[in-house]
DNA sequence: CGACAAGTTGATGTTACTCAAAAGTGGTGG
DNA sequence: CCACCACTTTTGAGTAACATCAACTTGTCG
């Protein structure tokens, strides 16, 4: 990873962009100086309200956040997850409204990222690729909720997180952090926490994956990938 | 609607962009000339394969298409619908891969749309807003599949289509085309066609909406909107 | 008229939800 | 160090929503 980025505490998150496109010294400088502006949000707090004017473009430096929709009767659906390195409000037009609320699942630190200048092709490319990944995972979330059962949804989701964390160097092939409660899992996968619990037990019993204490341990990656026809996004990584 | 656009047979679809941002004569000309390039796809045929290099930016002129994912065992999930006026492959980077397959639900006519030049702010704006709408509706599809039951999913979906068709001047407040089979409905809403059928019967019995012969007739828009907490996207329309 | 797709119906099965409570976990303050 | 609290996980029993399977009906078009 680049020197510039390594000098920052949350180098992993910052490094994601340079894995999506090669950035020159100028662009890394822009990232570094914008990255000095930070904002910390406690767990369970809202980071951005739905429909409010979107904030400056920013990036998750650490912690886990989500876009979610909450219904009158209390039902909540988590629409997408935001992991370290993920961007917020980058591709949107000026004065755009946030399409969904964003809230912190754990303590979250955001930093500002620069709006790219016309000549900063690396930065533009990295943002575009990041956006394409967001889109890819959003389509995947739709397929998951629409046509996979609880067992498959959990497997598919875990594999997605594994891939996304790999892009920021968090965790290994079969072992990575997953600091979500079963309740949160339910809201993410359109299930109740009770059913999530039972399905996780089944996966443990089958010795396929063990989710405990905020850490995921995959016991048979090949098999898990086969169950859900796992594919990687078609986005080239540098 | 603008003269330039009216001169074309599928003026409704072309007019969508000029409702999303005001376009100057130069931009309308660009749209007109690009729009001469057309491509017709028969119902049930694939328009674009997943993972193939994406085609030129284009727009649906007429007909209904969808992005979908099909699983080994034949399960199909429709990820999003593409209606007249909707754009395909506009925001993506050069050489980007199509994130999903796209196929025609009815006979579909596409036309090319221009890549905007740096000074064509109206065009850029319109594309950006169109993209923001796509994103908004994709999040909505997630919430629908994750937390609404069959009854609510159908209502929510119908109201979405109503809003989207209104943007291209197709249909009225309570009456618009909906040329999808109950099978397709099922694939879209994560249900079986049998369950869709029974739920549609219930909605007819309750005198809330009547879906028949490819036309949707809403009998009590207020009530329908209340059931699913219907909201419009926060995207300004010119 | 016949063929094929779409819509409808009934009977039955399964997945996942609901409600309720017990057991485990971690943090805090006395 | 322990008692207490809040939160999370786990368990059980009963239920509702939706799926499955199979047949029958209707409509459309050549």
């Amino acid at each position: 990873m680049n020197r510039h980025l390594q000098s920052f505490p949350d180098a992993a998150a910052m490094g994601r962009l340079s894995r999506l496109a090669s950035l020159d010294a100028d662009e890394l400088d822009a990232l570094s100086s914008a990255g000095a502006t930070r904002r910390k949000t406690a767990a369970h707090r809202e980071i951005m309200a739905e429909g409010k004017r979107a904030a400056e473009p920013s990036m998750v430096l650490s912690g886990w956040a989500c876009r979610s929709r909450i219904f009158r009767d209390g039902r909540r659906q988590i629409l997408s997850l935001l992991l370290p390195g993920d961007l917020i409000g980058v591709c949107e037009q000026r004065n755009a409204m946030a399409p969904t609320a964003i809230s912190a699942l754990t303590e979250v630190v955001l930093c500002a990222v620069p709006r790219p200048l016309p000549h900063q092709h690396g930065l533009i490319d990295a943002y575009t690729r990041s956006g394409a990944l967001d889109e890819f995972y959003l389509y995947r979330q739709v397929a998951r909720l629409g046509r996979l059962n609880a067992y498959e949804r959990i497997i598919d989701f875990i594999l997605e997180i594994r891939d996304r964390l790999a892009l920021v160097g968090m965790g290994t092939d079969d072992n990575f952090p997953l600091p979500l409660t079963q309740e949160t899992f339910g809201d993410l996968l359109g299930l109740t926490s009770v059913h999530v619990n039972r399905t996780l037990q089944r996966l443990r019993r089958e010795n396929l994956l063990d989710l405990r204490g905020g850490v995921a341990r995959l016991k048979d990656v090949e098999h898990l990938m086969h169950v859900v026809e796992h594919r990687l996004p078609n986005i080239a990584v540098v």
Side-chain angles (χ1 to χ4, degrees), chain A:
Chain A
M1 194 184 306
N2 186 288
R3 277 262 171 75
H4 274 264
L5 299 181
Q6 261 183 342
S7 62
F8 281 84
D10 302 285
M14 295 290 266
R16 178 169 178 270
L17 286 178
S18 58
R19 285 188 204 175
L20 289 175
S22 43
L23 306 176
D24 61 26
D26 168 49
E27 292 164 329
L28 292 170
D29 280 345
L31 271 176
S32 295
S33 47
T37 305
R38 302 194 173 185
R39 181 177 153 216
K40 185 183 286 193
T41 307
H44 313 300
R45 283 273 151 64
E46 195 168 67
I47 293 175
M48 188 174 300
E50 178 183 345
K52 292 266 182 278
R53 175 162 299 184
E56 291 304 281
S58 49
M59 172 194 275
V60 178
L61 270 185
S62 67
W64 293 46
C66 69
R67 293 180 179 274
S68 65
R69 172 155 184 207
I70 295 175
F71 294 87
R72 268 198 302 268
D73 61 3
R75 280 181 284 184
R76 172 170 84 145
Q77 178 63 44
I78 294 181
L79 306 167
S80 70
L81 273 187
L82 296 164
L83 309 186
D86 282 346
L87 300 174
I88 298 173
V90 161
C91 293
E92 293 153 22
Q93 57 176 158
R94 300 137 300 289
N95 298 335
M97 302 297 162
T100 70
I102 299 180
S103 45
L105 294 169
T106 65
E107 178 178 285
V108 167
V109 178
L110 296 185
C111 73
V113 293
R115 294 187 190 276
L117 301 172
H119 68 277
Q120 294 177 320
H121 297 108
L123 214 46
I124 291 172
D125 230 46
Y127 287 177
T128 306
R129 288 208 159 107
S130 179
L133 280 174
D134 289 349
E135 190 186 350
F136 174 86
Y137 287 121
L138 201 49
Y139 283 127
R140 184 162 159 171
Q141 168 82 330
V142 171
R144 193 150 54 206
L145 293 175
R147 283 297 183 220
L148 299 190
N149 60 31
Y151 184 76
E152 297 165 325
R153 278 183 220 179
I154 289 184
I155 294 175
D156 188 68
F157 169 70
I158 298 269
L159 290 174
E160 173 179 322
I161 295 306
R162 168 175 165 270
D163 295 341
R164 291 173 61 182
L165 288 177
L167 193 55
V168 282
M170 295 174 72
T172 67
D173 270 7
D174 53 12
N175 196 313
F176 48 88
L178 193 39
L180 305 180
T181 67
Q182 294 179 1
E183 181 78 34
T184 304
F185 255 77
D187 288 343
L188 195 46
L189 299 178
L191 303 167
T192 59
S193 62
V194 172
H195 199 59
V196 167
N197 182 284
R198 292 185 166 129
T199 308
L200 285 176
Q201 285 179 53
R202 177 178 162 200
L203 285 162
R204 244 177 252 141
R205 222 180 312 121
E206 294 176 338
N207 210 33
L208 290 176
L209 74 83
D210 193 347
L211 200 50
R212 209 191 290 264
V215 174
R217 268 172 255 276
L218 310 194
K219 304 303 187 68
D220 189 343
V221 176
E222 282 299 313
H223 183 69
L224 291 171
M225 287 182 22
H226 185 256
V227 170
V228 296
E229 305 176 36
H230 182 69
R231 298 177 220 175
L232 290 175
N234 283 306
I235 311 275
V237 171
V238 174

